[in-house]
Amino acid sequence: MTNSNTFSPRLSAKLLLSLAMALLAMLAVAGSARAALQFDQVGVDFNEPPVLNPDGSPVVNADGTFVKPAFNRQAGSHPDISVFFKVATGSDSLPIEAPKVVEADLPPGFVGNPNGIPTCPAADLINPGQGGANCSMESQVGVVEITAWASTGSQQRIFVGLFNMAHGPDVPARFGFKYSAVVGLLTARVRPGDYGISSGSLAISQGESVESARVTLWGVPGDPSHDSLRQDHIQSIQVPKFNMPQSPALWQSIESKRPFLTMPTSCGDTPVGITVRGASWEEPGIFDERTLTADEDGTPFTIEGCEKLGFDPSAVVRPTSREADAPSGLAVDVHVPQPQDPYGYATAHVRKVKLTLPEGMSVSPSSATGLEGCSLAQIGIGSNDPPSCPAASKLGTVEVDTPLLDFPLEGDVILAKQNDNPFNSLLALYIAAKGPGFYLKLPGRIDLDPQTGRLTSTFDNNPQLPFEDLHLNLRGGPGAALVTPPSCGTYAAEAEFVSWASDTPVNQSIPMSFDQACNTGGFSPGLRAGSTTPRGGAFAPFNLQIVRGDGETNLSRIEATLPEGLLAKLAGVSLCGDAQAATGDCPAASQVGQVTVGAGAGPLPVYVPEAGKAPTAAYLAGPYKGAPYSLVVKVPAQAGPFDLGTVTVRNALQIDPTTAQVTAKSDPLPQILQGIPIAYRDVRVEVNRPNFTINPTSCKQMAVTSVLTSASGQTASPSAPFAASGCDGLGFGPKLALSLKGKMNRTGNPALKAVLKAPTGQANIAKTTVVLPPAMLIDNAHINNPCTRVQFNANECPAGSILGQATAYTPLLDKPLTGPVYFRSNGGDRELPDLVADLKGQIHVTLVGFIDTAKSGGVRTRFADVPDAPVSKFVLKLSGGKKGLIENSENLCSFTPKAKVQMTGQNGKTANSNLKLGTSCGKGKSKK
């Protein structure tokens, strides 16, 4: 029966099998049957040429049969083969059932090559009215011996020639003979499982009741040992009658002296099997089937002598592009010499071809665009059904030249569907081509080095058939399947060939040169960034894009700093937990945007996400690497027919405590996924959550800055200009209230409370200066043990440096920021320390006030660098009494104390006032 093994990349080998099949078909004329049709005897022989008498005639036994030649078990030799069957007879000596179908399955690797042997036209075989066939002797490939019962009831032993017949495009080979005005045809077919040959007669004539038949095919039809058995239109009945050609020397030079049959080139101790099956006209669906592992004398069908076979394959590999870091196709030419020596041995058949491309030449992500994969069901390995693979799965073409056909076999190179292929792998290929009456479908495994992306293709367990040249071409162009190494130079591909005759490989190093567009390796990516609607103080999505040119070193890290005042409203946004952030499985409520990635070499990078694929997302997460927040970027690496899993990159969101500027620092970007290098060409981040990002209220010219790092450690600092618009249309009307509590008398140290309120939708505060009345001075006696900058940065300020408490309320956060107010060394030449509000909560902000004496004589505090952030309310409380910073130089209840307040908005507008201070002076208290 047909085996179900699947083989690999030898289309030409397949052709050879087809031809071999034809030969087997002739042999299969001696069929067998089961149930209704019963074989009484079945036999198969692989023999040396016939035993001859001195005059060149074959030696004949007493019963008229030929003396059996010696058995031939040499691998790659060219023996004669004969198939014999005899059906069971009844009490009347007649066959119980009339044979209709008799077919033989020859072992894989046994091939026949009718190519080059002249064919007999059908009209000459039929030769009406002339008895036997009228085919030329040059077209004879064997003989047929038949024992049949004529309609008169007499038994006949018939000996006729077997001829190579012309056949259509859907039949690999056909052979014919004629006896007693009956035409017999043997048709070959290629088994789709192991690509072995099955051959036989599918409609044996009932004009003569066939009892037995022996079909003999000559291994070398042109050999002189067959001269005495050559026949044209003459047939022998009862006693063989031989027609000797007048000029035996003719057969020494004719083309048909080339080998016709060839033994397998695989050896082993286990005999190969030949299956013969047959069915009758009476019961056409019931078969008698016999599998033979020995000849008629009991000699096992073991094959030996593989060490005598030659094997000298070679390969040439050429990229379609010689540019560095560019999309490229590939041309692979494999040559296996196939000498046609009728007295020598065939070249060992190719079992495995393994090709490893140079390091740096890898799969191009750009090829995924528009590509599709072919499933196992669509390719239909193991069947002769035409493949139904989508057109978009075809990567290139293949052409195979075989000595078995006078035309090349042509087909396609097809991409297999991920994980739905014989290897359950990410990548695999099929070679598929239509032969005469069969489809060749060979799977090839593609392995990718997970660290370098180096690509190795292996076609193993190829059909045991000969081919001389194989030409495989993968298409080039922008969407080519491969990308060349990143720099020019001479590289080497490595080829490994293994034959069916030996496990010892033949290795070859194949040079490949790339010497064009060599100016690669730099790193100067571009940056584009901005709000989609840059109106000052308004919510608007923010986009950032990084573009890397062809030939530049790949992008590895991204650090981007936003301009002052470009902030995000964190209030109401759920955060992605640490465990979820590690995998990117964050809740939808934490999503703040999406990411688009373009990757690949050439002008057509593939973009993720593609339409219909899983979307990308950017999620807001909590603290990470010392930053208060992080951005989790989740990119399902799905493009074309490939799914490389999910890429998750976490970005620390650092916030400058002085300016509140946001800096995003990414973790290293993955450089390779499952062996496919990711050449980042275009990275786009869209922060588009509604009412999330808010523009500055300052319209001064600013920039989005960056520090980008390449895979080789190079850095670049591209920037993108940024400026809001319409800031002068924003109002500015904050209100400040100052109040004192405690002792109002001279030398008293009152507590001070400042409450600032700002309307929503207006410009944010940029600067604030408050000048207290001249009667309120700094109490030098209470300036003790201020916090140094080192202590402040280490969060180790002494308790004596704490002056009070501050709290800031902002609509951008769920909770207010609060913290102590310190007296901190200014680290400069100013006489007094700074007043620093250290505000902590969801983020950390330090608000610095510079203290000195105004020209008017009052204590002046200047907050000169207030972050451009909306603050709805700000409360500052300075302690009084023994910890009070302020000392009264006169009784504050004796007059109405007023402070001078100057506030400037981020848009340049001002709000100045002489502010009356609230005091604790009340009824019943004298003004002293």
Side-chain angles (χ1 to χ4, degrees):
M1 298 296 292
T2 301
N3 296 327
S4 59
N5 298 330
T6 301
F7 297 91
S8 267
R10 294 309 153 203
L11 290 175
S12 57
K14 197 166 191 183
L15 296 176
L16 297 176
L17 286 175
S18 300
L19 298 175
M21 211 174 176
L23 298 175
L24 294 176
M26 297 165 55
L27 299 175
V29 170
S32 138
R34 173 187 294 176
L37 180 71
Q38 298 179 17
F39 287 131
D40 188 48
Q41 297 178 44
V42 178
V44 177
D45 292 310
F46 296 96
N47 299 321
E48 300 286 353
V51 179
L52 303 180
N53 292 309
D55 63 356
S57 62
V59 177
V60 181
N61 296 314
D63 61 358
T65 60
F66 298 122
V67 173
K68 180 182 176 183
F71 175 74
N72 186 338
R73 68 179 67 205
Q74 171 62 49
S77 63
H78 311 293
D80 295 349
I81 182 174
S82 64
V83 177
F84 168 77
F85 77 90
K86 182 177 182 299
V87 299
T89 56
S91 57
D92 56 359
S93 299
L94 294 175
I96 297 175
E97 299 284 349
K100 175 186 178 184
V101 176
V102 178
E103 186 179 49
D105 295 340
L106 293 180
F110 187 92
V111 298
N113 180 10
N115 186 36
I117 299 176
T119 58
C120 176
D124 289 348
L125 179 69
I126 298 172
N127 194 26
Q130 303 299 318
N134 191 29
C135 298
S136 68
M137 287 185 290
E138 290 87 344
S139 65
Q140 187 175 354
V141 293
V143 292
V144 179
E145 300 173 73
I146 299 174
T147 300
W149 293 84
S151 58
T152 59
S154 60
Q155 187 184 58
Q156 302 179 79
R157 181 179 301 156
I158 306 165
F159 176 86
V160 293
L162 183 64
F163 303 95
N164 186 29
M165 302 299 298
H167 57 84
D170 293 329
V171 176
R174 181 172 284 137
F175 307 93
F177 59 93
K178 184 181 180 183
Y179 66 96
S180 301
V182 175
V183 172
L185 293 177
L186 304 179
T187 301
R189 64 179 178 85
V190 177
R191 299 193 297 272
D194 59 5
Y195 297 103
I197 296 173
S198 296
S199 177
S201 177
L202 304 180
I204 299 174
S205 172
Q206 301 183 73
E208 299 276 349
S209 182
V210 176
E211 178 180 340
S212 66
R214 180 182 297 275
V215 177
T216 299
L217 295 176
W218 295 332
V220 183
D223 187 273
S225 63
H226 304 304
D227 285 355
S228 61
L229 303 180
R230 304 185 195 283
Q231 296 189 345
D232 47 19
H233 65 279
I234 299 176
Q235 66 175 342
S236 298
I237 301 178
Q238 300 297 338
V239 179
K241 179 179 180 182
F242 308 112
N243 180 41
M244 295 287 293
Q246 295 181 351
S247 177
L250 169 68
W251 301 101
Q252 312 247 340
S253 60
I254 62 174
E255 186 180 3
S256 59
K257 196 172 182 180
R258 65 189 302 171
F260 174 48
L261 302 180
T262 301
M263 288 285 279
T265 63
S266 176
C267 299
D269 297 331
T270 303
V272 299
I274 296 177
T275 298
V276 180
R277 70 181 66 84
S280 68
W281 284 98
E282 291 81 359
E283 297 287 348
I286 302 176
F287 286 85
D288 186 7
E289 183 174 283
R290 312 287 177 88
T291 297
L292 309 177
T293 58
D295 68 4
E296 294 178 85
D297 294 333
T299 305
F301 292 144
T302 54
I303 301 171
E304 60 187 26
C306 283
E307 71 279 358
K308 299 178 182 179
L309 305 183
F311 187 62
D312 187 27
S314 61
V316 176
V317 181
R318 300 181 306 278
T320 61
S321 173
R322 295 177 64 178
E323 295 183 1
D325 196 25
S328 177
L330 198 70
V332 179
D333 297 324
V334 176
H335 177 68
V336 183
Q338 299 291 343
Q340 299 298 309
D341 183 357
Y343 304 113
Y345 303 135
T347 292
H349 301 152
V350 177
R351 187 187 70 181
K352 180 172 77 171
V353 176
K354 180 179 178 181
L355 179 64
T356 301
L357 296 182
E359 188 166 327
M361 191 169 194
S362 55
V363 173
S364 173
S366 301
S367 63
T369 302
L371 196 62
E372 294 185 52
C374 181
S375 68
L376 279 170
Q378 291 170 324
I379 189 67
I381 290 178
S383 77
N384 269 332
D385 297 331
S388 58
C389 301
S393 67
K394 296 177 181 179
L395 300 176
T397 61
V398 68
E399 181 180 288
V400 182
D401 293 321
T402 169
L404 304 183
L405 294 177
D406 56 2
F407 58 88
L409 192 64
E410 297 178 346
D412 299 307
V413 181
I414 298 171
L415 176 69
K417 190 174 183 179
Q418 178 181 347
N419 299 331
D420 188 10
N421 58 65
F423 315 104
N424 193 33
S425 60
L426 170 66
L427 292 177
L429 295 178
Y430 298 118
I431 289 177
K434 187 180 186 305
F438 67 93
Y439 272 91
L440 179 66
K441 305 168 187 176
L442 307 178
R445 183 186 181 101
I446 306 297
D447 293 300
L448 303 173
D449 187 296
Q451 304 300 321
T452 66
R454 193 173 190 185
L455 187 151
T456 298
S457 60
T458 304
F459 285 84
D460 201 358
N461 290 320
N462 294 304
Q464 299 182 52
L465 296 171
F467 71 93
E468 191 155 20
D469 290 290
L470 180 145
H471 310 284
L472 184 148
N473 292 281
L474 298 179
R475 288 191 301 271
L482 303 173
V483 61
T484 60
S487 58
C488 288
T490 299
Y491 298 78
E494 305 294 334
E496 177 185 303
F497 303 92
V498 179
S499 74
W500 282 98
S502 171
D503 290 332
T504 302
V506 174
N507 297 309
Q508 180 187 358
S509 181
I510 308 167
M512 299 173 64
S513 294
F514 301 93
D515 54 10
Q516 299 175 11
C518 298
N519 186 22
T520 61
F523 188 64
S524 57
L527 174 69
R528 303 185 186 98
S531 296
T532 57
T533 303
R535 184 166 58 86
F539 286 104
F542 174 79
N543 297 334
L544 180 143
Q545 180 182 20
I546 297 170
V547 180
R548 180 186 66 89
D550 246 351
E552 293 185 5
T553 309
N554 201 27
L555 183 67
S556 176
R557 288 177 183 266
I558 299 173
E559 177 181 329
T561 300
L562 303 185
E564 294 182 40
L566 185 60
L567 303 173
K569 184 178 180 180
L570 305 180
V573 180
S574 299
L575 297 183
C576 179
D578 281 343
Q580 296 168 311
T583 60
D585 295 325
C586 297
S590 66
Q591 184 173 350
V592 297
Q594 62 188 45
V595 175
T596 301
V597 177
L604 299 176
V606 59
Y607 280 89
V608 176
E610 289 184 325
K613 302 289 185 180
T616 63
Y619 301 97
L620 187 67
Y624 184 65
K625 291 186 175 182
Y629 289 93
S630 56
L631 190 69
V632 177
V633 174
K634 177 183 179 181
V635 180
Q638 300 173 1
F642 303 119
D643 184 350
L644 305 182
T646 298
V647 176
T648 301
V649 178
R650 200 165 179 180
N651 306 263
L653 298 179
Q654 298 177 336
I655 300 176
D656 187 291
T658 302
T659 65
Q661 280 182 276
V662 178
T663 297
K665 292 185 177 181
S666 76
D667 283 347
L669 305 181
Q671 300 295 297
I672 190 168
L673 292 176
Q674 298 188 40
I676 298 181
I678 307 301
Y680 297 97
R681 295 288 304 284
D682 189 349
V683 178
R684 305 177 188 181
V685 180
E686 301 174 67
V687 184
N688 54 11
R689 183 185 180 104
N691 296 326
F692 182 69
T693 52
I694 188 169
N695 292 324
T697 60
S698 169
C699 288
K700 67 182 179 181
Q701 186 66 47
M702 294 182 284
V704 178
T705 61
S706 69
V707 177
L708 308 179
T709 306
S710 76
S712 60
Q714 300 162 285
T715 60
S717 300
S719 63
F722 182 94
S725 62
C727 298
D728 54 356
L730 296 174
F732 184 68
K735 303 296 182 181
L736 178 64
L738 295 174
S739 61
L740 302 173
K741 185 177 181 181
K743 292 183 179 181
M744 301 290 107
N745 61 306
R746 183 176 179 276
T747 71
N749 297 103
L752 184 146
K753 179 180 180 181
V755 178
L756 174 70
K757 294 182 179 180
T760 60
Q762 294 190 353
N764 300 322
I765 297 174
K767 299 177 183 180
T768 296
T769 299
V770 177
V771 181
L772 296 178
M776 301 180 70
L777 306 174
I778 298 294
D779 190 342
N780 292 324
H782 288 180
I783 302 177
N784 55 9
N785 199 20
C787 183
T788 68
R789 285 181 175 268
V790 173
Q791 290 172 322
F792 184 86
N793 293 334
N795 199 27
E796 296 177 350
C797 289
S801 65
I802 299 177
L803 300 177
Q805 192 81 7
T807 303
Y809 300 82
T810 171
L812 301 185
L813 301 176
D814 291 307
K815 296 180 180 180
L817 302 178
T818 187
V821 178
Y822 294 103
F823 228 14
R824 189 189 72 179
S825 300
N826 58 51
D829 56 359
R830 294 194 302 276
E831 180 179 353
L832 294 174
D834 294 333
L835 184 74
V836 179
D838 192 28
L839 304 175
K840 294 182 179 178
Q842 291 174 264
I843 63 174
H844 180 203
V845 174
T846 58
L847 193 62
V848 180
F850 307 115
I851 301 176
D852 60 6
T853 301
K855 292 181 180 180
S856 60
V859 176
R860 181 174 64 178
T861 304
R862 292 174 295 153
F863 294 91
D865 295 299
V866 179
D868 188 358
V871 175
S872 57
K873 182 179 180 181
F874 178 77
V875 178
L876 174 69
K877 295 179 181 181
L878 297 180
S879 302
K882 294 180 180 181
K883 294 184 179 180
L885 179 64
I886 304 298
E887 180 184 20
N888 301 328
S889 64
E890 55 182 287
N891 190 332
L892 299 183
C893 292
S894 64
F895 64 97
T896 301
K898 293 184 178 181
K900 293 181 179 180
V901 179
Q902 296 177 337
M903 290 184 286
T904 304
Q906 295 284 346
N907 60 354
K909 292 184 178 181
T910 60
N912 302 325
S913 64
N914 289 320
L915 181 65
K916 179 181 177 181
L917 276 64
T919 66
S920 58
C921 300
K923 293 182 180 181
K925 293 188 178 181
S926 61
K927 295 183 180 181
K928 297 182 181 180

